[in-house]
Amino acid sequence: MKNYLKELGPGILVSAAFIGPGTVTSCTLAGVNFGYSLLWALLLSVFSCIVLQEMAARLGIISQKGLSDNIRDELKKPVWRFLALALIFSAIVVGNAAYEAGNITGAVLGLQAVFGEQQLRVFQFEVNIWSITVGVIAFAILWIGNYKVLEKVFIALVMVMSLAFIVTAIVVKPDISKILNGFIPNHLSTGILGVIALVGTTVVPYNLFLHASLVSEKWKEKKFLKTAKIELIIAIVLGGVVSMAILICGAAAGLDNVNNAVDLAEALKPVFGEFASWFMAIGLLAAGITSSITAPLAAAYVVKGCMGWNVSLKSVKFKAVWAFVLILGVFCSSLKIQPIQLIQFAQIANGILLPVIAVFLFWVVNRASVLGNYKNSLLQNILGAVVIAIAIFLGGKSIYTVL
């Protein structure tokens, strides 16, 4: 166990990245609106996430390069290379900048649940102090530029977040038989948008880039491939369990309406008393901070690969990218600006990006020139094809919903 704990890192960051405020809200609303009936969708999302992230991890360890680096190197024709990298660059960087405001706002909701709203007037603007506080914390952690330090911070935050939600789900004493029935798909037409939200919030496109880059930073030899697989499976399953715990809380709380995830704390007061808001606040704060760090970090890795930079986490160019994404997120969150056009663009781009990136990843991990004997097996190709079909369906529905 002690040796395993030493190997924790990239997989935990993937869990930290997809369990953000959006996941908290989506899972809560799914529980409130559909009870336990969409637990199977979370199980499907965990399966899809494991399949794709395993490919990304294998690619990172064997090639010792990130996903965008490999795409850049393997696309020989300049036109195709430019189009592919332009799509990836715009969707990941601009999209992450837009959603960073949501990540920071989620962490702010956690702080406000306990300490109340705090505003500071700067010139003609009302600035949210908590948005700036969260931004400063995320900036400080990223500025350190030390991979081992980042690992420890993320592990601590994810453990706190996991305990907060799992303990809450146990204390509300859910109906076990209804939970078991929730893993059997039924009434697909009724909850199709809920399914899309749950799977879409778990299988995150930028995580594929982040994971491939992080494992190449951590493990330099092929012998660690098995360790990486075990670590990512456990971490993603843990993330899935946390997501299910949030859904169970929403279903068991007996709420008629939820405007945001903080409302869930009100239903837990008979059990936790005044500490109910603390449990929910800790979960939201941890979810918001982890996502506020991983989104800019992923964007920086993507730009690094797209531009062909051979730089470290401490380089000025690398820091400039994540700083841009983070500062823009803080700005939008603190001034309560709703970046509607950016978010719409991000939704459309990510709707296109998930299946496209899944196809690119599928293509790269089947190339002997990149992975040699470690390229996809027949079983891995079958599983990958199934997940890509799901991604195409979700991408089409996402675009249709926005348009």
Side-chain angles (χ1 to χ4, degrees):
M1 176 60 75
K2 185 177 181 181
N3 291 332
Y4 168 72
L5 291 175
K6 288 182 179 179
E7 299 301 334
L8 286 174
I12 287 290
L13 267 69
V14 169
S15 292
F18 77 68
I19 307 177
T23 299
V24 175
T25 302
S26 296
C27 291
T28 300
L29 290 174
V32 169
N33 295 328
F34 304 104
Y36 306 103
S37 63
L38 294 184
L39 282 170
W40 68 268
L42 280 175
L43 191 62
L44 173 65
S45 70
V46 169
F47 163 77
S48 301
C49 192
I50 288 173
V51 171
L52 291 178
Q53 297 297 158
E54 186 279 329
M55 292 182 190
R58 179 157 35 97
L59 178 66
I61 291 177
I62 302 302
S63 70
Q64 284 295 293
K65 292 186 292 187
L67 178 54
S68 53
D69 300 81
N70 276 293
I71 293 173
R72 178 187 177 88
D73 292 344
E74 291 301 308
L75 287 172
K76 306 300 182 183
K77 292 186 178 181
V79 174
W80 291 114
R81 181 192 299 165
F82 174 79
L83 290 175
L85 296 181
L87 173 63
I88 294 168
F89 184 94
S90 61
I92 293 294
V93 177
V94 179
N96 281 15
Y99 285 117
E100 182 68 356
N103 292 329
I104 292 171
T105 301
V108 168
L109 286 174
L111 288 168
Q112 288 180 345
V114 177
F115 301 108
E117 187 173 346
Q118 300 293 330
Q119 297 287 337
L120 177 67
R121 191 168 186 82
V122 178
F123 298 110
Q124 300 299 317
F125 300 102
E126 290 288 337
V127 178
N128 191 314
I129 293 177
W130 298 131
S131 295
I132 297 175
T133 302
V134 172
V136 169
I137 292 171
F139 190 95
I141 294 172
L142 285 168
W143 185 262
I144 293 170
N146 185 305
Y147 179 76
K148 291 183 178 179
V149 173
L150 285 176
E151 272 191 348
K152 292 177 181 177
V153 171
F154 276 113
I155 290 171
L157 286 172
V158 170
M159 292 304 175
V160 170
M161 176 174 58
S162 301
L163 286 173
F165 287 123
I166 291 172
V167 168
T168 302
I170 293 172
V171 172
V172 295
K173 298 179 180 179
D175 189 321
I176 302 299
S177 62
K178 290 183 179 179
I179 290 177
L180 294 177
N181 288 332
F183 289 104
I184 302 173
N186 55 60
H187 306 298
L188 296 182
S189 59
T190 305
I192 188 63
L193 293 179
V195 173
I196 294 170
L198 293 176
V199 178
T201 196
T202 304
V203 188
V204 183
Y206 76 71
N207 267 348
L208 300 174
F209 295 93
L210 184 63
H211 202 179
S213 296
L214 291 176
V215 295
S216 66
E217 295 267 359
K218 184 176 181 67
W219 292 299
K220 302 297 183 181
E221 299 179 41
K222 297 176 182 179
K223 67 179 182 181
F224 291 109
L225 188 58
K226 183 178 180 181
T227 301
K229 289 180 180 179
I230 295 173
E231 191 258 352
L232 80 87
I233 290 172
I234 293 175
I236 293 172
V237 169
L238 172 63
V241 169
V242 174
S243 298
M244 291 176 190
I246 299 169
L247 186 149
I248 289 170
C249 289
L255 298 175
D256 295 323
N257 185 40
V258 174
N259 295 318
N260 54 61
V262 179
D263 291 345
L264 185 59
E266 292 298 319
L268 300 177
K269 281 189 176 180
V271 178
F272 284 111
E274 294 302 317
F275 290 103
S277 59
W278 281 89
F279 269 93
M280 204 61 195
I282 290 170
L284 273 174
L285 179 60
I289 289 179
T290 51
S291 296
S292 297
I293 297 169
T294 53
L297 186 62
Y301 274 121
V302 169
V303 173
K304 175 178 176 288
C306 289
M307 303 301 292
W309 295 342
N310 185 21
V311 297
S312 68
L313 275 68
K314 293 185 177 182
S315 74
V316 175
K317 290 190 288 188
F318 190 89
K319 288 182 175 180
V321 176
W322 62 249
F324 167 77
V325 174
L326 179 59
I327 291 171
L328 184 57
V330 171
F331 178 76
C332 293
S333 177
S334 64
L335 298 181
K336 296 185 178 180
I337 296 174
Q338 299 296 326
I340 301 300
Q341 292 180 337
L342 276 176
I343 291 174
Q344 284 184 327
F345 171 79
Q347 286 178 322
I348 295 172
N350 281 335
I352 299 171
L353 186 64
L354 179 56
V356 169
I357 293 305
V359 169
F360 271 127
L361 176 63
F362 190 74
W363 171 66
V364 170
V365 294
N366 272 289
R367 293 181 68 81
S369 59
V370 178
L371 294 182
N373 294 331
Y374 294 92
K375 68 178 185 178
N376 265 17
S377 65
L378 176 61
L379 177 60
Q380 288 169 328
N381 276 332
I382 292 172
L383 295 177
V386 171
V387 171
I388 288 172
I390 295 171
I392 291 172
F393 172 75
L394 291 175
K397 291 294 291 186
S398 175
I399 296 168
Y400 176 78
T401 301
V402 172
L403 297 178

